[in-house]
Amino acid sequence: MWRGHRLGFLLVVVLALAGVIVDVFVGSANGASAKHASVSAAVAAAEQALRGGEYEEALRRARGPIMGNGLERLGIEVRALVALGRYAEARSRLEGVVAALPDHLPTRDLLMRLDALVGDRES
């Protein structure tokens, strides 16, 4: 009889832990998807402003930390800076990211395109 109670108690504990684990992972996944949706919306708004010729607005929307979609926002930020004629600021922003992420080819490509546009002043 004692063994049956012990197994029943163990089953209840395992089911309770499984419920907690599911809540944690599903809750964090829902939070992550909501965050991803808001970041995607911010990127889309900055891209729309850039395409509409509102470069200051695109720059304002694209500023932010470089994580997740931050590299997409960096591309929008650099294109807005170039459109505004702020080449030195665009170059320093790109050089900082290339120094931190030397293997990120799209960022290196943006820097090379900027060099082709305005020339590499250090060479």
Side-chain angles (χ1 to χ4, degrees), residues 34-87:
K35 182 179 179 182
H36 178 70
S38 66
V39 169
S40 295
V43 168
E47 185 74 38
Q48 184 65 32
L50 184 65
R51 288 181 182 167
E54 301 171 12
Y55 304 121
E56 289 289 343
E57 178 66 17
L59 186 60
R60 186 186 68 76
R61 289 180 179 268
R63 299 277 182 172
I66 302 173
M67 11 184 233
N69 282 348
L71 290 171
E72 286 182 51
R73 294 184 344 197
L74 172 74
I76 295 168
E77 177 184 356
V78 167
R79 288 186 290 163
L81 288 169
V82 168
L84 291 168
R86 294 162 57 179
Y87 304 118

Side-chain angles (χ1 to χ4, degrees), residues 81 85-95 114 118 121:
L81 288 169
R86 294 162 57 179
Y87 304 118
E89 191 175 344
R91 179 184 305 278
S92 72
R93 187 82 166 105
L94 283 172
E95 286 174 345
L114 181 63
V118 296
R121 301 198 196 299

